[in-house]
Amino acid sequence: MAAPPCPALQREQQRAADIIRLLTLYRPLLDAYIIDFFTEGLWAQLPPPWQAALATAAPPQLAGLLGGPGGPGAAWPLSLLAFAAATRALAFPRGRPGGSPRPPCQSTRLHPLLRRHVKPKKQHEIRRLGKLLQRLTQATGCDHVVDVGAGQGHLSRFLAFGLGLSVTAVEGDGRLAGMAERFDRELLRELGKTGVPGNEGPPRCHQTTPCHGPPSPLTPRGPRHVAGRLDPSAPWGKFLLPPDPPGPGPTTRNPLGGPGGSEGGQRVLVTGLHACGDLSPALLRHFTRSPAVAAVASVACCYMKLSTPAEHPGSSPGYPLSAWVAKLPGHELSYRAREAACHALEEYVGRLRGESSCLRTHCYRAVLETLIRAANPSKKRPGVQTVKKAHALSFPQYARLGLPRVGLDPAAISLDSEAVEAMLEQQHKVVAFFSLTLLLAPLVETLILLDRLLYLREQGGCRDGDGEGVTALPVLTLPLPAGFQCALIPLFDPRFSPRNLVLVAARTPLGVVLSGLDEDSSEDEDMGMAEPSGEKQSPPAPSARCEPQ
């Protein structure tokens, strides 16, 4: 007798179908490039009532339309209000409002040696994800973590030296892997100089309650670094391909090639912090295929780099993963739509509220695109790249820097004509149009992540069922009947880390892990302190560029 359909599966299948219907309805808005605002007459494509309301809206009012605190209310058309409400209702929650409005400072919860070479934003991320992984080790009884796409090793270093976990750091760029090893050696040298008692103590991963005081002493247990690329289609025993470019030394053999998932036969936890493009789907595929992977915690980024069936026929795509989404008409996402999912909505809301001068750069780039195509029609959306502090320049100054980058002579083009001035006077319309596209960005990200959740459910044995509506939970938890459980967690502050949703899947219950999230969140990292004089504090990296590409 077949098992009854899973109610949670039914709800999420319906949610995916509803999102696709909404995206299909607004496909022209979703696929529009803001730099084409003038060349393709994007404003005229909006419904006339929307045009009338948006043309007179102040930036703070647009911030309110996007869901943030705005200025005095605007008289929006009902159809526009319904559009905005639908996007918010279907998108996954991205975090709790409130908290410190300041960017992250140097985290006093991280040991000073672990803050070296790490910007405050990354400190916030590695500490939050590290504490989640620590709780996963307690829930699964597995303390071997494989950090895939480890980069310079900041997360691996915190897991190993800070939490005492056994860590294998896998990085496809041999140069970054070498840099990570150098940073480890620097830390070990400094640790040897201090001679602080307790550095040889037990691994901190065995603690059952988080420490709310100063950071604990470090352990001398560093990560093991491996230069190699993930093969998304190979069995777990053939996990790695050679690095590209090669590192300075010989390639280490696959550390996960043993019968149990590692050389010693132990089970492993797999994680990827902002695993780019197809790397995040590959981690999920390996989790479902290999019982040796006890759990996976994936933070995705760069959705535009996901492979799709249309772009890579015959290969396993990065999107869609699930059979359910793949069979829904209209599920396809263009490169532009996937790129839009990477925009930082919360940061742009802040710019609107403050009427930031950065708002003018989209208009600058759109005007520049008009001049480029007039001079050479074969050049369509060329990569101008970032013009530093474009918002502080006049348009002629901006254009004189941008035109040579696409092979055009600024002296041959009129930069202050009446036509140029007329376009620049429409900056408020460019800002309003871009704000509308941002309403769809969280919806695209939700569909991509929902596709991955449904894939896990399918691999876990849930069968299809009829739709029962849509729910939105602060932490979306999906129990899987074949031993999988998964949760989608808004782990980072979205104002500082826009890709803040962490997908966690495990073969054991996640109740203990999820119950500790609020306790970890109570440690206010944003109220950290600046470093002492002599140790420069790096500003947080911007999560959305002023300059459109």
Side-chain angles (χ1 to χ4, degrees), residues 328-346:
L328 292 174
H331 73 272
E332 297 85 1
L333 294 173
S334 67
Y335 179 93
R336 167 56 190 152
R338 287 177 274 131
E339 181 187 50
C342 298
H343 284 297
L345 178 105
E346 290 81 7

Side-chain angles (χ1 to χ4, degrees), residues 11-12 15 92-93 471-478 488 490:
R11 290 193 297 270
E12 299 315 317
R15 187 182 205 159
F92 283 146
T471 59
L473 304 176
V475 176
L476 183 66
T477 308
L478 303 179
L488 192 64

